[in-house]
């Protein structure tokens, strides 16, 4: 019995029956010999192939796309003219020069297991394969794909994870990296990624810190987008879901992938140009424009996923450019800055308001027990209440936005309003820190910045709990990490020779002090010399760049270093009670006494 | 007979096959290398069960650790949750507990939870014993299914079970409007339940 599958014999283009059909190498459909053409591409060198057998439809796509690619100077792992334009335009060039950044600095560092696991899952198992990308990017990648494709992406992502362990790898970054490598060489792509995550986007945008998972920056942006959308297209309310969810669909898809793989190539190029020109505000403008383009569908109450699908499958570049130009005067820097501040306050407030949720979540991510968190919360609220009434009014009003918003938007946002000072300021944190860990207080500012994930200038309850949890109950590594980061003044993920020297001086201070009291002690002197020796040995082994992993291993493998540093960062003292005590008003009364006409500002309450 | 509409969320570690399971069930499609879900996908299917019909609206959420903050937005108002782990990956199974914990404390009170041990076509690389998984779910009073999005094994049964359990749990509400609230993102967290002791769900 002969196998007869009509699909195999029917040409999918002209639907004639034909016995010897071929398969189009691009769309994989069965086509007859008449509909099959040999397509020559200008990328044959990269692909080690001169020509492809593709159907007529694919061949015409490929020709137009190739024109576009050549016009737009897209390559793979090479700095294209468009790339260098973006590099300059965004300010990344200047920033990178100041930071003296280079991808090769991170060749030495080792990737932690968690990151390498997720990068493996996302990059090596096919999730970054061009064939599953949206059509145009896929076509582009097929043309430029090289045998080292996976390695190229991994190289950039791994370097980033080593540089910034706080952020590490976040799903969606793989796609952004593919995009970057289309315009930049390895090093510039890496610099652009650093610049994007650390400078251009809001702080904490891709956050994945071990204790946080807050994605605060992302939340702020998506709240702003939700607010603006509801204002621009009131119809979003008519769809079968709360507004927040409607805009979540848009913001998630576009924000996490920064428009790559979510709209057609020409639109992505356009939006990226705007991102480089204007910064992260273009994300908001872009998304609002995209929703405006689909206004009709929104009015009909179509599901956002369907709207996204339509946007994804059509060439919308001309419409997008037009709409974008229209929204620019509407969505101005000052307006967005104001909305962001509101959203930021709101986010912190959310954490405060839902006490049960906070306690629950914090129990998972901190080292405290539920009871301890509740205790901490009581103290935090009390402290905050006191601080609020004590803090000068000027400080609080500064946090209230001054720009006028349209009235209806104001109404929408009224829920956001009224947030007072919502956290512990830097000075207050320093006081607490000096109680718990005087040695670390030396570097209090750096430590504060590390814990202030959303860079609001205040630690909210979540941030404070995490900080306290690490400082008091954290493992040796946790504490060492804080210590290490506090001395990494250039924020490059490793300690240079100068930074290491400062660190050695600091940890030897107690020893030097005791040697002055006890000049005869040979042992102390020997210890100091040994610490110096061993540290410089560590430095030499890592050719002047000590990464955290090497730092830990180096210290743990040496009893002397371990005990000296352990003593310094207070390794063995459980200090939960000290944390609670430090949160007491007593900490503040002493120093605050003189500032307020001789009256303690806390006493004014009583 | 009335149709009940309900929202189902998929949860689990990255790359355990949440999207694949949903796709296999709704569209009978399987792709070896599904792109990682960053946004939430949305699929619907009408299921006929003996008692009536249920429209499952499946919200497929992203799995990586740090998207957990976002996932909590999605499981709001969900009637059912499908927690997926990969039988060849011990870590993904360990995470099931924390998902259950999170759902029980923060999702709707009567949420129906089922657990799927996915990729059971890769029996050779199995790291989690079946008895262990069953015992664990029995303790939690949650149904456990062995599934394979590749072969389709167990997928149909699992969604059927989920549908009928949801029908049972919610039949009192049938006829009333299921989606009356239209809260913005802003007020969301206030409404989260403080603690939830209700242990609904089937048992093995």
């Amino acid at each position: 019995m002969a196998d007869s599958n009509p699909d195999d014999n029917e040409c999918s283009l002209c639907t004639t029956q034909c016995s010897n059909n071929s398969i189009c190498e691009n769309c994989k459909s069965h086509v007859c010999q008449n509909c099959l053409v040999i397509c020559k591409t200008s990328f044959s060198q990269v692909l080690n192939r001169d020509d492809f057998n593709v159907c007529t439809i694919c061949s015409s796509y490929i020709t137009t796309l190739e024109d576009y690619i050549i016009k737009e100077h897209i390559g793979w792992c090479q700095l294209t003219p468009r790339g260098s334009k973006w590099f300059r335009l965004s300010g990344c060039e200047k920033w990178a020069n100041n930071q003296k950044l280079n991808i090769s600095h991170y060749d030495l560092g080792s990737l932690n297991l968690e990151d390498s696991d997720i990068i493996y899952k996302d990059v090596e198992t096919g999730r970054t394969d061009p064939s599953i990308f949206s059509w145009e990017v896929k076509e582009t990648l097929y043309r430029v794909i090289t045998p080292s494709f996976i390695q190229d992406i991994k190289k950039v992502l791994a370097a980033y994870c080593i540089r910034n362990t706080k952020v590490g790898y976040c799903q969606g970054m793989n796609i952004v990296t593919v995009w970057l490598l289309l315009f930049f060489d390895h090093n510039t792509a890496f610099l652009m990624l650093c610049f994007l995550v650390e400078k251009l986007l809001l702080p904490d945008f891709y956050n994945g810190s071990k204790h946080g998972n807050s994605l605060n920056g992302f939340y702020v942006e998506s709240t702003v987008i939700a607010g603006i959308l509801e204002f621009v297209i009131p119809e979003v309310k008519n769809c079968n879901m709360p507004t927040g969810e409607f805009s979540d669909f848009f913001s998630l898809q576009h924000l996490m992938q920064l428009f790559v793989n979510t709209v057609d190539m020409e639109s992505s190029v356009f939006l990226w140009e705007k991102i480089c020109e204007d910064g992260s505000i273009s994300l908001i403008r872009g998304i609002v424009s995209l929703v405006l383009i689909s206004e009709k569908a929104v009015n009909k109450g179509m599901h956002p996923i369907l709207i996204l699908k339509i946007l994804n499958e059509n060439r919308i570049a001309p419409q997008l450019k037009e709409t974008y130009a229209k929204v620019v005067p509407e969505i101005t820097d000052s307006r967005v800055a104001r909305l962001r501040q509101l959203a930021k306050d709101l986010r912190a407030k959310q954490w405060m308001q839902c006490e049960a949720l906070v306690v629950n979540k914090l129990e998972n991510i901190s080292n405290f027990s539920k009871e301890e968190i509740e205790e901490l919360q009581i103290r935090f609220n009390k402290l905050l209440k006191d601080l609020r009434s004590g803090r000068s009014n000027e400080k609080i009003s500064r946090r209230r936005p001054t720009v006028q918003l349209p009235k209806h938007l104001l109404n929408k946002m009224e829920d956001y309003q009224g947030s007072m000072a919502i956290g512990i300021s830097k000075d207050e944190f320093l006081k607490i820190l000096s109680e718990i860990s005087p040695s670390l207080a030396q570097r209090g500012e750096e430590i504060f910045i590390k814990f202030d994930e959303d860079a609001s200038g205040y630690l909210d309850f979540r941030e404070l709990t995490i900080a306290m949890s690490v400082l008091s109950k954290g493992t040796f590594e946790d504490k060492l990490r804080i210590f290490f980061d506090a001395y990494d003044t250039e924020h490059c993920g490793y300690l240079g020779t100068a930074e290491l020297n400062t660190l050695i001086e600091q940890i030897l201070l107690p020893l030097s002090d005791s040697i002055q009291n006890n000049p005869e002690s040979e042992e102390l002197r020997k210890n100091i010399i040994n610490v110096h020796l061993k540290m410089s040995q560590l430095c030499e082994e890592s050719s002047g760049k000590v990464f955290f992993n090497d730092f830990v291993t180096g210290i743990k493998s040496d009893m002397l270093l371990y005990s000296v540093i352990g003593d310094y960062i207070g390794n063995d003292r459980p200090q939960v009670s000290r944390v609670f005590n430090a949160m007491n008003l007593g900490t503040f009364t002493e120093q605050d006494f003189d500032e307020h006409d001789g009256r303690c500002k806390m006493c004014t309450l009583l | 007979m009335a149709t009940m509409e309900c929202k189902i969320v998929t949860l689990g570690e990255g790359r355990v096959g949440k999207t694949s399971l949903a796709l296999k069930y709704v569209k009978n499609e399987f792709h070896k290398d599904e792109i990682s879900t960053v946004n939430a996908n949305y699929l619907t299917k009408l299921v006929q069960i003996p008692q009536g019909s249920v429209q499952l609206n499946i919200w497929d959420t992203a799995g990586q650790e740090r998207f957990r903050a976002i996932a909590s937005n999605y499981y709001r108002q969900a009637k059912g949750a499908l927690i997926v782990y990969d039988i060849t990956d011990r870590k993904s199974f360990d995470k099931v507990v924390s998902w259950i914990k999170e759902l029980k404390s923060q999702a709707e009170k009567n949420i129906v939870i089922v657990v799927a041990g996915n990729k059971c076509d890769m029996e050779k690389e199995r790291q989690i014993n079946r008895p262990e998984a069953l015992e664990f779910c029995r303790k939690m009073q949650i149904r456990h299914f062995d599934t394979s999005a590749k072969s389709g094994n167990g997928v149909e049964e699992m969604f059927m079970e989920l549908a009928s359990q949801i029908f049972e749990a919610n039949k009192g509400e049938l006829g009333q409007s299921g989606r009356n609230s239209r809260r913005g993102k802003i007020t969301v967290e206030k409404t989260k339940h403080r603690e939830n002791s209700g242990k609904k769900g089937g048992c093995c």
Side-chain angles (χ1 to χ4, degrees), chain A residues 263-319:
Chain A
V263 282
D264 62 287
M265 182 135 199
E266 199 183 340
S267 307
S268 303
V269 170
F270 169 74
L271 287 167
W272 267 74
E273 189 121 338
K274 291 291 171 196
I275 292 175
C276 292
E277 242 170 63
D278 308 334
S280 60
I281 193 174
S282 330
L283 295 176
I284 299 170
R285 288 174 179 163
I287 291 172
V288 173
S289 315
L290 288 172
V291 180
L292 276 173
I293 291 176
S294 353
E295 201 174 352
K296 273 187 195 156
V298 178
N299 286 342
K300 275 192 233 154
M302 196 187 270
H303 196 279
I305 288 285
L306 288 177
I307 300 176
L308 284 171
K309 213 173 154 208
I310 295 170
L311 281 175
N312 192 304
E313 283 168 359
N314 289 296
R315 277 159 206 262
I316 47 161
Q319 278 167 285

Side-chain angles (χ1 to χ4, degrees), chain A residues 365-485:
Chain A
I365 57 179
S366 74
N367 303 313
F368 286 132
S369 69
K370 198 168 175 175
E371 289 71 32
E372 282 168 337
I373 294 170
E374 276 164 355
E375 172 71 26
L376 194 63
Q377 189 161 32
I378 293 169
R379 297 200 185 229
F380 177 81
N381 285 341
K382 193 158 165 256
L383 179 63
L384 212 58
K385 204 173 139 204
D386 298 340
L387 287 174
R388 261 186 209 168
S389 27
R391 242 176 230 157
S392 64
N393 288 328
E394 175 266 326
K395 228 175 188 175
I396 293 168
S397 62
R398 195 165 50 83
R399 288 176 60 75
R400 286 186 181 242
T402 47
V403 195
Q404 266 306 312
L405 264 187
K407 230 182 187 169
H408 20 318
L409 193 50
L410 256 183
N411 290 339
K412 297 276 172 262
M413 291 278 178
E414 68 184 2
D415 244 20
Y416 298 22
Q417 293 270 10
S419 44
M420 307 269 286
I422 26 178
I424 308 270
S425 74
K426 186 159 74 188
D427 292 344
E428 287 142 11
F429 175 74
L430 291 183
K431 283 175 199 161
I432 297 178
L433 188 65
S434 60
E435 281 289 303
I436 316 171
S437 182
S439 50
L440 280 175
Q442 294 275 353
R443 290 268 160 180
E445 291 211 8
E446 276 87 0
I447 295 172
F448 178 82
I449 292 168
K450 185 178 162 66
F451 285 116
D452 181 19
E453 287 173 354
D454 57 359
S456 63
Y458 290 87
L459 294 189
D460 60 32
F461 179 60
R462 182 184 58 91
E463 288 165 346
L464 183 83
T465 310
I466 291 165
M468 291 303 149
S469 145
V470 175
L471 289 171
S472 69
K473 280 185 133 183
T475 59
F476 182 66
E477 271 94 352
D478 281 343
K479 281 193 192 169
L480 208 55
R481 177 90 235 179
I482 306 284
F483 181 65
F484 181 88
D485 286 349

Side-chain angles (χ1 to χ4, degrees), chain B residues 8-9 11 80-84 96 100 103 111-116 137 142-145 158-159 161-163 165 202:
Chain B
I8 290 176
V9 288
L11 302 166
L82 165 63
I83 302 176
V84 189
V96 172
I100 294 178
L103 280 174
I111 191 163
V112 176
I113 305 174
V114 293
V115 171
C137 289
I142 286 170
R143 275 294 298 264
H144 177 277
F145 288 87
M158 180 182 64
F159 279 101
E161 174 66 25
L162 195 55
Q165 273 194 37

